[in-house]
Amino acid sequence: MIDVLELRLHPEAYAEENMLPLISKKTGISPKRITNWEICRRSIDARKKPVQYVLKIKVWVDEEAKEEPTFDPKLQSVANGPEIHIVGMGPCGLFAALNAVANGYKPIIWERGKAVRDRRRDLAQLTKQGILNPESNYCFGEGGAGTFSDGKLYTRSTKRGKIENILQMLVYFGAPSDILVDAHPHIGTNKLPKIIANIRQCLIDCGAEIHFNSKITNIRKQGSQLEALEVNGTYWISCKKLLLATGHSARDIFRMIHKMGLTLAQKPLAVGVRIEHPQVLIDSIQYHSSAERPLNLPPASYNWSRNVQERGVHSFCMCPGGIICPAATSEGEVVVNGWSPSKRNGPFANSGIVVQITGQDITPKSDSPLLLMEWQAALEAKAYQAGGGNFFAPGQRLGDFLSKRISNNLPECSYLPGIDSAPLHELLPPFIYSPLATALRQIGKRMKGYISNEAVVVGVESRTSSPVKIPRDPYSRMHPECEGLYPCGEGAGYAGGIMSAAIDGWNTAQVACVPVEY
């Protein structure tokens, strides 16, 4: 076997029937001697013309390919196992539960929102009628925020083995096997719900308990030991081990922990806007083509970062062929996010463009660990007012945004509640607007055509990560002031996206659940 062969292909040549002759030509080995081949990594190099597929391929010569062992998640019956409670059923909570089951523990999951299928009806009411369910929306409910916000599976984490384990798990539960080889794997909002429902059913079959419409409203401890949970403000459940995986938008949880007197900390945040272009424009920029997108290439994406005025400015959650969605969790606020279906075949491309901020930027100054969270909530309330109510978002043509003028009219936009012309350049504070505008002008020089009045700026993109950090011991992973409380995932400040949240949930459960043998 040739361990790994790199093959660079023009997109039009990328077809299965072309692979064997190309491998033969690259290696100088007769096609008759090549008994099998397999793509183990796939990416696109669009830095310059010609755009190329870059493939890492295993090739078998004069020998049969050895079958890879079938992936085994090592799940077991845990109906009578020791209990571990998990609050939150996003990727962090779900993969913590899977690892708990693998180690012989019975997960008892408390989810404030609804099952994934029922969430769809609440999202439809929000986008079409402006009716928000504060417990079931784009952020809350089975699968967490990632379920209906795209399903991007790449991460900056260097824990390669853990990444592959999470991807294998997702394929086991129904994700396409392409995610095992793509450099930037993506499932799509239309396919994720079925995968999440499969994980839930597996957990139930193993003996786990899952409680929907069950919000944790208080936590009680005896001395430094966790003792009990209050559910929906009505009853208490005895609890000695709790994985807190509530996501970055559970402000009530942060306030509850702060009220308990447990230490919290401010966490730097990235805040800005979401910018939407016609997808054909992004295709032409990224693929260096004035015509239609080249054959066999997917809708183009982009990713950039700049350091401006001693602040990081970067693109975030770029969604080719995608939709801007309303990610509010309370009445009277506007928050935007984005997602793409699996085919990424919509007419628009959108991306968050955000600026890094810290508590030092906020006035009046405060040492409160909730400072950035409360400032974030106030900005979202201003965005709601600027949009005119009913979850309409404030919008501005990109050229007008940079020129600080209100747009007389707005282009078509995928944000379904609707957008209303507003001065986003005034809504954003100067410490965000100034570096954001400077970075956009810099990017416009590199990505010719990006600065266009065909593009619309929609605000605000403010839920990129948690504005609060819940401290934990690096070894026990417990809060240093509450034995048995395990903060994890995005909400606790230890992850940023589906993959990193899943890895953190998995790793935290590994520490919390000493393996049980039956």
Side-chain angles (χ1 to χ4, degrees):
M1 183 182 77
I2 297 174
D3 187 24
V4 177
L5 165 72
E6 180 176 289
L7 202 59
R8 288 180 168 265
L9 302 179
H10 188 279
E12 292 184 4
Y14 181 50
E16 188 167 334
E17 60 269 21
N18 294 336
M19 298 300 287
L20 184 57
L22 290 169
I23 292 170
S24 175
K25 182 178 179 180
K26 176 77 173 181
T27 59
I29 297 171
S30 167
K32 294 181 180 180
R33 294 182 58 204
I34 298 173
T35 52
N36 207 347
W37 55 269
E38 177 184 282
I39 297 174
C40 54
R41 194 71 170 164
R42 176 172 53 219
S43 61
I44 295 173
D45 186 351
R47 290 172 294 181
K48 58 184 180 180
K49 281 188 175 183
V51 177
Q52 293 179 314
Y53 271 100
V54 182
L55 308 177
K56 304 287 187 181
I57 303 175
K58 289 182 181 178
V59 182
W60 283 263
V61 180
D62 296 333
E63 62 174 323
E64 291 299 317
K66 294 180 181 178
E67 287 191 15
E68 294 288 332
T70 302
F71 177 75
D72 180 8
K74 297 183 172 60
L75 304 178
Q76 57 186 304
S77 174
V78 294
N80 299 314
E83 295 178 355
I84 183 164
H85 293 255
I86 299 172
V87 180
M89 207 172 171
C92 181
L94 283 170
F95 278 86
L98 288 169
N99 198 7
V101 168
N103 283 321
Y105 278 68
K106 176 181 178 177
I108 301 176
I109 304 175
W110 304 94
E111 170 53 57
R112 69 193 299 161
K114 299 179 183 180
V116 69
R117 183 182 295 273
D118 295 329
R119 283 178 74 187
R120 287 185 182 276
R121 288 188 282 272
D122 294 317
L123 298 184
Q125 277 198 319
L126 175 58
T127 55
K128 295 176 182 178
Q129 302 174 46
I131 299 173
L132 172 73
N133 183 334
E135 310 301 343
S136 178
N137 43 62
Y138 273 98
C139 291
F140 298 149
E142 184 182 23
T147 306
F148 296 104
S149 12
D150 203 48
K152 296 180 185 68
L153 301 179
Y154 40 95
T155 175
R156 293 184 180 91
S157 173
T158 57
K159 300 178 179 70
R160 189 68 244 171
K162 296 295 184 184
I163 292 171
E164 290 169 356
N165 180 61
I166 300 300
L167 293 174
Q168 288 276 14
M169 278 278 194
L170 288 167
V171 171
Y172 178 84
F173 287 111
S177 58
D178 283 353
I179 68 173
L180 300 174
V181 300
D182 285 334
H184 293 95
H186 170 257
I187 293 177
T189 293
N190 54 318
K191 292 186 176 181
L192 268 170
K194 177 63 175 174
I195 296 164
I196 289 163
N198 290 343
I199 295 175
R200 179 222 307 154
Q201 190 58 54
C202 176
L203 289 169
I204 291 172
D205 291 344
C206 288
E209 289 182 22
I210 298 175
H211 302 271
F212 292 113
N213 302 301
S214 299
K215 180 164 69 171
I216 299 306
T217 47
N218 208 347
I219 295 175
R220 188 171 68 216
K221 63 188 183 78
Q222 180 66 41
S224 62
Q225 173 64 55
L226 180 69
E227 185 180 48
L229 304 176
E230 184 186 54
V231 183
N232 290 334
T234 58
Y235 63 95
W236 288 86
I237 298 291
S238 177
C239 173
K240 302 301 181 185
K241 283 190 176 186
L242 170 66
L243 268 67
L244 195 64
T246 51
H248 58 43
S249 291
R251 290 170 176 158
D252 57 318
I253 295 293
F254 297 134
R255 292 185 179 114
M256 178 189 72
I257 293 175
H258 187 49
K259 187 176 180 180
M260 287 175 64
L262 296 180
T263 297
L264 296 173
Q266 295 177 12
K267 181 179 160 295
L269 190 62
V271 175
V273 295
R274 193 153 279 265
I275 298 181
E276 183 171 82
H277 291 79
Q279 181 63 54
V280 292
L281 177 59
I282 299 301
D283 288 343
S284 68
I285 294 171
Q286 295 299 86
Y287 292 144
H288 321 288
S289 171
S290 58
E292 292 184 0
R293 183 169 68 245
L295 185 68
N296 285 346
L297 285 175
S301 63
Y302 61 83
N303 177 35
W304 58 261
S305 63
R306 283 288 183 275
N307 193 286
V308 178
Q309 301 168 19
E310 299 184 348
R311 293 181 190 275
V313 184
H314 63 275
S315 59
F316 171 81
C317 183
M318 198 275 153
C319 302
I323 287 171
I324 300 177
C325 64
T329 52
S330 298
E331 291 289 344
E333 65 186 23
V334 160
V335 185
V336 294
N337 198 349
W339 62 267
S340 299
S342 56
K343 292 183 179 179
R344 294 180 161 178
N345 56 355
F348 300 109
N350 70 77
S351 178
I353 308 295
V354 293
V355 179
Q356 294 174 347
I357 65 171
T358 71
Q360 294 300 309
D361 296 308
I362 310 304
T363 53
K365 302 294 183 186
S366 171
D367 293 329
S368 168
L370 305 184
L371 174 68
L372 278 164
M373 185 191 81
E374 303 295 1
W375 175 87
Q376 177 194 57
L379 180 67
E380 293 165 3
K382 290 179 181 177
Y384 186 88
Q385 294 169 1
N390 208 36
F391 296 100
F392 271 56
Q396 198 169 6
R397 290 181 183 268
L398 179 52
D400 293 337
F401 176 75
L402 295 177
S403 299
K404 296 186 176 182
R405 60 173 176 256
I406 297 176
S407 299
N408 292 327
N409 54 61
L410 296 172
E412 185 180 355
C413 177
S414 66
Y415 182 78
L416 287 183
I419 57 175
D420 197 19
S421 182
L424 276 164
H425 59 277
E426 295 177 359
L427 176 67
L428 296 173
F431 58 82
I432 292 178
Y433 175 79
S434 179
L436 179 61
T438 300
L440 285 168
R441 291 188 182 98
Q442 291 177 1
I443 289 301
K445 293 177 181 178
R446 193 189 81 183
M447 298 175 65
K448 301 297 184 184
Y450 186 87
I451 304 300
S452 165
N453 260 355
E454 290 184 72
V456 62
V457 182
V458 183
V460 289
E461 174 82 55
S462 52
R463 305 281 182 96
T464 56
S465 64
S466 174
V468 179
K469 189 157 192 171
I470 308 177
R472 70 186 183 193
D473 181 87
Y475 300 104
S476 72
R477 291 189 173 237
M478 287 187 284
H479 192 289
E481 298 159 5
C482 187
E483 186 176 348
L485 178 63
Y486 298 83
C488 51
E490 282 203 51
Y494 298 97
I498 291 175
M499 288 299 293
S500 58
I503 291 170
D504 196 64
W506 182 273
N507 290 344
T508 302
Q510 187 66 33
V511 173
C513 301
V514 178
V516 176
E517 292 185 7
Y518 295 101

